[in-house]
Amino acid sequence: MGDEGSVRVDLWIWSVRLLKTRSMATTACRAGHVRVNDERAKPSTAVKPGDTVRLRHDGRERIVVVQKIVRKRVAAPVAQECLIDQSPPPPPREALIPVGRRERGAGRPTKRDRRELERILDRYRVQNEPPEGD
């Protein structure tokens, strides 16, 4: 479990349960969502204890420091011992709720739906407008 040396970053990310499947970890590496020591990582990039791994997933950035090397998926309590989590706190749930999404198969929005959506968007625009003095 605590083998010294190094291991592939995609395997380690999956082993410590940062992502659900190894193929998701490999895809994240290929897409450029994984960085090891602030350098873009390929799936085969080696990680060793002390390395910093940054992972962008689901609109959130996870920053972890490798404590132990594991080559096989381990239980959640053991996985927590293999890393030091330095991630910022997750955004509030309200920030994650998509605005303007309709249920699949609901058809075109009615005039009432469009007016409600415009009202919400206008409120959002007013809140996020830069001050006039800039």
Side-chain angles (χ1 to χ4, degrees):
M1 190 169 20
D3 299 334
E4 291 305 315
S6 62
V7 69
R8 292 171 55 109
V9 69
D10 62 337
L11 179 61
W12 187 81
I13 288 172
W14 168 74
S15 298
V16 296
R17 298 173 173 264
L18 292 178
L19 289 175
K20 199 170 190 174
T21 65
R22 178 141 181 222
S23 64
M24 285 175 70
T26 304
T27 303
C29 291
R30 287 190 180 132
H33 300 299
V34 178
R35 292 185 164 273
V36 176
N37 297 328
D38 292 326
E39 293 184 19
R40 191 171 171 176
K42 293 181 180 179
S44 62
T45 302
V47 292
K48 56 191 176 308
D51 285 348
T52 302
V53 177
R54 291 174 171 262
L55 168 70
R56 279 192 340 255
H57 180 66
D58 284 340
R60 181 175 178 214
E61 184 171 30
R62 300 286 308 266
I63 304 168
V64 295
V65 177
V66 179
Q67 281 289 100
K68 294 181 185 174
I69 296 297
V70 287
R71 286 177 168 65
K72 294 186 179 178
R73 193 161 172 99
V74 293
V78 177
Q80 288 302 313
E81 297 171 2
C82 296
L83 56 92
I84 299 172
D85 195 355
Q86 298 177 340
S87 305
R93 276 193 96 107
E94 296 82 34
L96 298 177
I97 297 173
V99 177
R101 298 281 175 146
R102 296 181 52 76
E103 292 182 26
R104 188 177 178 102
R108 289 181 56 166
T110 63
K111 193 173 204 175
R112 180 179 178 188
D113 292 338
R114 287 196 314 271
R115 285 179 178 161
E116 287 176 12
L117 182 59
E118 282 297 319
R119 221 175 291 128
I120 291 169
L121 291 175
D122 286 341
R123 220 176 295 140
Y124 175 77
R125 286 185 195 114
V126 169
Q127 290 175 353
N128 293 322
E129 252 179 29
E132 297 257 342
D134 288 339

